[in-house]
Amino acid sequence: VVTTADVDVTTTGTPLISGTVPNQVHDEDSTWSLDLTGFAANQPDPSDTLGNLKWYLTGRGASLYTVWGENFTGNHLLVFGGQPDAYGSDEVLLWLEDVTGARTSQKLWVNLTAVDDPPRFATIPYLPVKAGKPYTFDVEPYIRDVDTPPPRLNLTTDDPGHVSVAGLNLTLAY
């Protein structure tokens, strides 16, 4: 005896990401949020409501950014925070999972663009300058710039009558 049967395979039971989540392009050191509610709405499985779904990433490099809000059922807002002074690109998988463990994913690029950070000064010590006797002060131990090495930094003065500049040395004369 031979028989046949029609079998319908549907995606019911597996959540779908509705549309393509846009690549994330931001400046280094920035923090931003990604609202994924619209990408999880209107699921084909009626039991996959927004309250029964969660998002998370796999394959990401922790040295570039952190993510808050992952793996919380019912949460559809991920908050990204760039690691200090980190920039580059990262291709990850963005997953949408329901309470039964059924899941789907899509690729997502996270790009952090380098930003030239300004130099920062440490606390400069008290500088006693005697009238009529020039005092030279080396600023290099007190300045930090993560993007520019000290020989490439330029100091300027708005008081050239009392302060002259040579490289990272200031000569104070009063």
Side-chain angles (χ1 to χ4, degrees):
V1 171
V2 177
T3 188
T4 61
D6 288 330
V7 176
D8 261 347
V9 177
T10 66
T11 58
T12 300
T14 302
L16 298 177
I17 299 174
S18 301
T20 302
V21 177
N23 292 331
Q24 301 299 295
V25 180
H26 295 274
D27 289 338
E28 75 175 53
D29 302 325
S30 62
T31 299
W32 72 96
S33 59
L34 175 58
D35 187 350
L36 296 164
T37 306
F39 298 98
N42 303 315
Q43 293 294 319
D45 183 343
S47 65
D48 284 342
T49 64
L50 290 175
N52 291 332
L53 298 168
K54 67 180 179 180
W55 296 91
Y56 58 94
L57 302 173
T58 58
R60 70 179 162 92
S63 64
L64 193 57
Y65 57 92
T66 57
V67 180
W68 297 274
E70 293 182 282
N71 286 308
F72 288 105
T73 302
N75 179 52
H76 300 279
L77 185 69
L78 298 182
V79 178
F80 292 74
Q83 295 288 13
D85 303 313
Y87 58 90
S89 297
D90 197 17
E91 182 183 47
V92 298
L93 283 178
L94 175 65
W95 292 91
L96 177 61
E97 184 174 311
D98 69 15
V99 292
T100 70
R103 63 187 185 158
T104 190
S105 68
Q106 69 177 231
K107 289 182 181 180
L108 177 70
W109 278 97
V110 179
N111 301 296
L112 295 180
T113 305
V115 173
D116 188 14
D117 295 312
R120 300 194 189 286
F121 286 92
T123 302
I124 294 178
Y126 175 72
L127 301 174
V129 178
K130 295 187 187 228
K133 184 174 182 185
Y135 178 81
T136 301
F137 177 69
D138 181 8
V139 176
E140 185 171 352
Y142 303 96
I143 192 168
R144 304 282 181 269
D145 190 318
V146 298
D147 298 313
T148 307
R152 291 186 44 218
L153 294 173
N154 294 311
L155 292 177
T156 60
T157 180
D158 61 356
D159 185 7
H162 295 105
V163 180
S164 62
V165 179
L168 295 179
N169 290 310
L170 302 177
T171 301
L172 309 169
Y174 290 93

